[in-house]
């Protein structure tokens, strides 16, 4: 093949500057050509992508992530290199090219460097991941981890390069045929149009997938017959309108006999009230249904009444709700309602106000009826939320004083870092207390807990009590926009949790992306780490609500029962 076919058309002194720039930036290349500029920047981002973050990632998945990082860097590097070539062409009229002999030597060296880069990437990826894995009590990767990393990295990189080359050819063909001007305006027009089309396709696909997945009860669930459950006997709420997670909530949980057998004491049938998206047309109507259900089931006559805000898809975490029912011998009522059917991250991106509005409407409706009861004959009114649910529940209240004046306590689990109340309390913590486990005013009104018994405070914890369950390695808590451009205090000396890798360093943009990826594996680690709080929820409820006067043996049995719920889930879930 002629040299021009490999490197693009030669530019002579009579060629126009625009033609020179276009030709220099868009040479015709063989399919196996790998842009040197793209490789340099791509490998740099690939190395950054394997640096330690809060949680471990499976080797294969890390290889995929690294390949994506390389692809982004390759695109940026190729654009910069093309710009340099175009600048040289604009100034000199042609792009200098080495002799064939030198070119062969350069290509051989280039190939050797690529092999060395692959070996280095694989070794570093496994070493750094093992450091993180040990800290979160997971076994280290072995030699197979390197093979899995390479399989993910090489295969995905090749696919991305092929897509990039095909897109590049299609882009230039479309631009020529459309008559768009050469340069930034034409390029930007095509890119923006392509991204807009992609965004529409992606959002439509996400909505369809999760509507199908979470819109209806699972077929294996059995519709409740109990009068103490929504969709049960005499309930005005229909089974089919509860959605997947609402149906699981009202159909699940321990019965009175199961509670009694575990605690060795008499127990009541726990009350569970839930309204799905299809239970009524508006949030207010769903909240009114829930209050009516509380009246029907006798929920206002129980010892503890919990107003819970769900995660994005309508999910309530079984360990936490079951633990409360065991602790209080079933003398409980838990109410909640669905505001979306998409996962929390989707709900937060596309409809961030939904959990806040839903939490306020529901709490206000329940509180209004609760206040009508005699002051000495009301159940404990407790606010609870996990993850995005914690964000919604906190937003009901103007500040800590408002929260404590309107409730008998609150427990917020894995609060997102963007929650206003959480941010205020964190910023006001006592000097010397770490960001991941703050102490505020000696723990007089609000406390943070990560593990049972890890934070003994001598001062009195006044009622009503507010409790945050919070881990140093929970990406949900530490992912905030500021992480893109500012180093977080939880990585500073003296602020870093014991299970956070000492090799983790803040890198602009990169750390935020890594912590965002860590959110996917928040529950794929043992309890005590990540977004997994199964070992501490029982103790948390006891601190906030007390218990039914159970003895130590019964409490130990409840703890073991609740901990048995949480096998480590596959990372991709």
């Amino acid at each position: 093949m002629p040299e021009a076919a490999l490197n693009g058309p030669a530019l002579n002194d009579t060629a126009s500057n625009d033609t020179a720039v276009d030709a220099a930036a868009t040479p015709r290349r063989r399919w196996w050509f790998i842009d040197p500029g793209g490789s340099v920047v791509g490998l740099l981002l690939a190395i950054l992508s394997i640096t330690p973050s809060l949680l471990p990632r499976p080797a294969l998945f890390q290889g995929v992530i690294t390949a994506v990082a390389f692809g982004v860097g390759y695109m940026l590097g190729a654009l910069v290199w093309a710009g340099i070539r175009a600048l040289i062409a604009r100034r000199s009229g042609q792009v200098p090219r080495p002799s064939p002999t030198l070119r062969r030597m350069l290509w051989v060296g280039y190939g050797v460097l690529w092999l060395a880069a692959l070996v280095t990437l694989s070794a570093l990826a496994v070493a750094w991941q093992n450091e993180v894995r040990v800290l979160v009590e997971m076994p280290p990767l072995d030699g197979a981890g390197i093979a899995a990393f390479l399989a993910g990295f090489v295969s995905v990189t090749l696919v991305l390069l092929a897509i990039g080359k095909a897109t590049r050819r299609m882009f230039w063909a479309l631009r020529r045929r459309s008559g768009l001007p050469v340069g930034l305006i034409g390029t930007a027009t095509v890119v923006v149009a392509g991204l807009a089309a992609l965004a529409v396709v992606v959002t439509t696909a996400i909505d369809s997938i999760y509507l199908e997945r979470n819109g209806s009860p699972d077929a294996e669930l059995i519709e409740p017959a109990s009068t103490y459950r929504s969709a049960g006997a005499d309930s005005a709420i229909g089974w089919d309108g509860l959605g997947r997670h609402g149906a699981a909530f009202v159909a699940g949980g321990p019965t009175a006999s199961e509670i009694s057998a575990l605690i060795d004491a008499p127990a009541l049938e726990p009350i569970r009230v839930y309204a799905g998206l299809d239970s009524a047309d508006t949030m207010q109507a769903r909240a009114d249904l829930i209050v009516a259900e509380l009246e029907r089931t006798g929920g206002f006559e129980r010892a503890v009444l919990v107003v819970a805000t769900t995660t994005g898809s309508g999910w309530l975490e079984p360990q936490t709700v079951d633990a409360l029912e065991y602790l209080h011998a079933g003398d409980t009522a838990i109410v909640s309602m669905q505001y979306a059917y998409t996962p929390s991250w989707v709900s937060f991106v596309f409809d961030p106000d939904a959990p806040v509005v839903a939490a306020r409407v529901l709490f206000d409706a329940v509180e209004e009826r609760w206040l009508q009861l005699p002051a000495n004959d009301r159940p404990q009114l407790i606010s609870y939320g996990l993850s995005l649910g914690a964000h919604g529940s906190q937003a009901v209240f103007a500040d800590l004083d408002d929260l404590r004046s309107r409730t008998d306590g609150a427990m917020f689990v894995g609060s997102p870092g963007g929650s206003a109340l959480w941010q205020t309390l964190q910023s006001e913590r006592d000097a010397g207390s770490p960001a991941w486990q703050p102490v505020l005013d000696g723990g007089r009104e609000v406390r943070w807990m990560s593990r049972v018994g890890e934070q003994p405070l001598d001062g009195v914890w006044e009622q009503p009590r507010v409790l945050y369950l919070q881990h140093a390695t929970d990406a949900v808590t530490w992912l905030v926009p500021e992480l893109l451009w500012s180093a977080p205090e939880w990585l500073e000396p003296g602020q870093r949790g014991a299970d956070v890798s000492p090799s983790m360093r803040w890198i602009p943009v990169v750390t935020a992306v890594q912590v965002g990826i860590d959110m996917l594996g928040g529950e794929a680690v043992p309890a005590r780490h990540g977004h997994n709080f199964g070992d501490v929820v029982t103790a948390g409820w006891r601190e906030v609500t007390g218990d039914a006067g159970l003895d130590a043996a019964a409490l130990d049995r409840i703890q073991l029962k609740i901990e048995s719920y949480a096998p480590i889930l596959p990372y991709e879930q």
Side-chain angles (χ1 to χ4, degrees):
M1 180 175 290
E3 186 73 12
L6 182 61
N7 297 301
L11 301 178
N12 53 49
D13 293 337
T14 62
S16 70
N17 283 340
D18 286 344
T19 303
V21 171
D22 199 28
T26 60
R28 295 188 297 274
R29 295 166 176 164
R30 290 184 178 180
W31 64 267
W32 46 260
F33 180 86
I34 301 179
D35 188 273
S39 295
V40 170
V41 180
L43 288 172
L44 175 62
L45 290 192
I47 292 173
L48 294 178
S49 75
I50 62 174
T51 56
S53 57
L54 292 174
L55 296 175
R57 297 182 285 270
L60 179 63
F61 187 53
Q62 178 63 69
V64 172
I65 294 170
T66 304
V68 173
F70 173 82
V72 172
Y74 184 91
M75 179 180 65
L76 296 175
L79 288 172
V80 171
W81 183 237
I84 293 173
R85 288 171 53 87
L87 182 62
I88 294 173
R90 186 182 295 276
R91 291 186 175 181
S92 64
Q94 62 180 1
V95 178
R97 294 184 177 84
S99 66
T101 300
L102 180 57
R103 283 171 58 81
R104 283 192 292 271
M105 293 175 62
L106 290 174
W107 276 107
V108 170
Y110 188 38
V112 171
L113 288 175
W114 252 104
L115 290 175
L118 287 176
V119 173
T120 302
L121 275 175
S122 303
L124 285 175
V126 172
W128 276 330
Q129 285 300 304
N130 281 343
E131 180 180 284
V132 178
R133 291 175 71 88
V134 169
L135 289 170
V136 298
E137 304 173 73
M138 293 180 69
L141 299 170
D142 53 21
I146 295 179
F149 171 83
L150 281 173
F153 176 72
V154 173
S155 59
V156 175
T157 295
L158 291 175
V159 170
L160 292 178
L161 286 173
I163 293 173
K165 290 175 180 295
T167 302
R168 179 177 178 275
R169 291 178 180 272
M170 181 178 66
F171 165 76
W172 289 107
L174 287 173
R175 201 184 73 167
R176 292 189 190 99
R177 292 180 182 179
S178 65
L180 289 171
V182 174
L184 291 178
I185 295 177
T187 301
T189 301
V190 175
V191 170
V192 169
L195 290 176
L198 179 62
V200 171
V201 171
V202 170
T203 54
T204 301
I206 289 174
D207 187 80
S208 299
I209 289 170
Y210 286 106
L211 175 59
E212 176 67 24
R213 182 176 181 180
N214 296 330
S216 303
D218 285 339
E220 64 269 17
L221 289 176
I222 299 175
E223 187 173 346
S226 171
T227 58
Y228 298 106
R229 301 296 172 99
S230 291
D234 302 322
S235 175
I237 295 178
W239 171 254
D240 291 335
L242 291 174
R244 177 190 178 198
H245 294 305
F249 172 65
V250 300
T255 63
S257 59
E258 290 170 337
I259 294 173
S260 181
L262 185 67
I263 66 175
D264 193 24
L268 299 176
E269 193 71 28
I271 293 173
R272 293 190 173 192
V273 174
Y274 191 100
L277 284 174
D278 293 335
S279 297
D281 293 335
T282 66
M283 285 189 182
Q284 186 61 58
R286 292 195 287 274
D288 292 341
L289 267 179
I290 286 172
V291 172
E293 283 284 278
L294 280 173
E295 296 276 12
R296 180 186 66 81
T297 58
F300 288 112
E301 301 168 11
R302 293 301 173 96
V304 181
L305 170 57
V306 174
V307 181
T309 307
T310 71
T311 63
S313 58
W315 183 64
L316 289 170
E317 202 273 316
Q319 284 180 293
T320 309
V321 293
D322 288 11
L324 180 80
E325 293 170 342
Y326 281 116
L327 282 172
H328 289 276
D331 195 6
T332 59
I334 303 174
V335 301
S336 191
M337 71 180 187
Q338 186 182 22
Y339 54 84
Y341 48 76
T342 51
S344 291
W345 69 269
V346 179
S347 299
F348 185 77
V349 170
F350 294 104
D351 194 3
D353 292 333
V356 172
V357 174
R360 286 176 177 164
V361 169
L362 178 58
F363 188 88
D364 289 349
V366 174
E367 181 190 33
E368 181 181 9
R369 180 65 186 91
W370 178 79
L371 287 171
Q372 296 171 11
L373 302 172
N376 60 353
D377 194 26
R378 296 170 180 164
Q380 291 188 62
L381 182 60
I382 306 296
S383 178
Y384 159 73
L386 164 70
S387 196
L388 191 58
H391 173 70
S393 291
Q394 290 176 83
V396 172
F397 311 100
D399 52 30
L400 181 60
D401 290 339
D402 186 41
L403 168 59
R404 297 182 72 244
S405 68
R406 296 174 62 188
T407 71
D408 294 300
M411 188 167 80
F412 304 125
V413 183
S415 172
S419 300
L421 180 59
W422 179 90
Q423 290 182 335
T424 298
L425 299 177
Q426 288 274 140
S427 65
E428 295 176 349
R429 71 184 187 274
D430 296 350
S433 64
W436 70 274
Q437 194 173 54
V439 176
L440 177 63
D441 195 18
R444 184 172 61 88
E445 297 175 337
V446 57
R447 295 187 180 185
W448 285 257
M449 181 186 295
S450 180
R451 301 184 188 183
V452 179
E454 269 197 348
Q455 192 194 55
L457 296 176
D458 296 331
V460 174
W461 191 358
E462 298 178 356
Q463 301 283 354
R465 294 178 172 182
V466 177
L467 176 64
Y468 285 88
L469 301 186
Q470 179 167 296
H471 289 331
T473 52
D474 186 1
V476 171
T477 296
W478 307 118
L479 182 63
V480 292
E482 293 81 4
L483 196 57
L484 288 165
W485 62 82
S486 177
E489 58 180 344
W490 48 269
L491 283 179
E492 295 175 0
Q495 296 285 330
R496 189 184 297 251
D499 51 350
V500 175
S501 169
S503 300
M504 184 178 180
R505 296 291 183 271
W506 177 75
I507 305 169
V509 180
V510 173
T511 300
V513 173
Q514 288 181 321
V515 174
I517 293 171
D518 286 339
M519 290 177 64
L520 299 175
E523 295 180 3
V525 293
R528 300 180 296 279
H529 310 284
H531 202 52
N532 193 340
F533 296 89
D535 66 316
V536 74
V537 291
T538 303
W541 279 131
R542 287 194 67 213
E543 295 288 0
V544 174
T545 68
D547 58 52
L550 304 179
D551 59 28
L555 294 173
D556 288 342
R557 290 194 296 273
I558 293 173
Q559 179 72 13
L560 291 174
K561 176 69 173 179
I562 295 302
E563 287 186 0
S564 71
Y565 286 26
I568 298 176
L569 299 174
Y571 190 82
E572 61 270 14
Q573 294 184 2

